[in-house]
């Protein structure tokens, strides 16, 4: 009977530890997502002065253009697009850092799900 109590205690402790780890992971992800939102606050959609060379290279790699050549594939209709806040004119992208025009586009355009 004593072994059952030890197994139960072990199971209970394992379950509590799992919930604690899941809670910590959730809190960390919530913090990082709020930081991600702060990343794309830009004064002008054309100002790339604070965008690193690495991120500029990513923009080029994804063939980002400020005006979509295909009117059906605009950034504003892409699920990777981070929309501008009410007081901003441009948004961002989850693929690279820097300002993104709502009417822009790139090769990784993914349609919003209906």
């Amino acid at each position: 009977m004593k072994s059952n109590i030890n197994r139960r205690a072990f199971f209970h402790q394992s379950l509590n530890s799992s919930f604690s780890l899941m809670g910590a992971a959730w809190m960390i992800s919530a913090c990082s997502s709020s930081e991600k939102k702060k990343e794309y606050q830009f004064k002008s959609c054309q100002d790339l002065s604070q965008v690193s060379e690495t991120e500029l290279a990513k923009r080029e790699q994804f063939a980002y253009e400020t005006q979509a050549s295909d009117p059906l594939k605009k950034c504003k209709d892409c699920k990777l697009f981070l929309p501008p806040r009410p007081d901003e004119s441009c948004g961002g992208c989850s693929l690279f850092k820097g300002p993104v025009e709502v009417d822009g586009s790139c090769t990784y355009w993914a349609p919003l799900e209906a």
Side-chain angles (χ1 to χ4, degrees), residues 14-25:
S14 297
L15 192 60
N16 284 339
S17 297
S18 297
F19 284 125
S20 296
L21 288 173
M22 287 184 348

Side-chain angles (χ1 to χ4, degrees), residues 28-107:
I28 290 169
S29 69
C31 290
S32 66
S33 66
S34 66
E35 288 174 11
K36 188 180 274 188
K37 289 178 185 174
K38 293 178 185 176
E39 267 178 23
Y40 69 96
Q41 293 179 358
F42 307 105
K43 294 180 182 177
S44 166
C45 293
Q46 292 77 33
D47 181 17
L48 301 174
S49 62
Q50 296 186 26
V51 180
S52 71
E53 292 295 323
T54 305
E55 294 301 323
L56 290 173
K58 283 183 189 178
R59 293 166 76 91
E60 191 172 318
Q61 178 187 3
F62 296 131
Y64 169 74
E65 50 188 31
T66 58
Q67 187 65 40
S69 54
D70 183 346
L72 299 175
K73 293 185 176 182
K74 294 183 178 184
C75 289
K76 67 180 179 182
D77 300 320
C78 177
K79 67 179 167 183
L80 302 171
F81 182 64
L82 305 170
R85 293 184 179 163
D87 59 335
E88 296 174 343
S89 61
C90 55
C93 182
S94 57
L95 295 175
F96 53 82
K97 294 180 183 176
V100 173
E101 296 275 357
V102 294
D103 291 330
S105 186
C106 82
T107 56

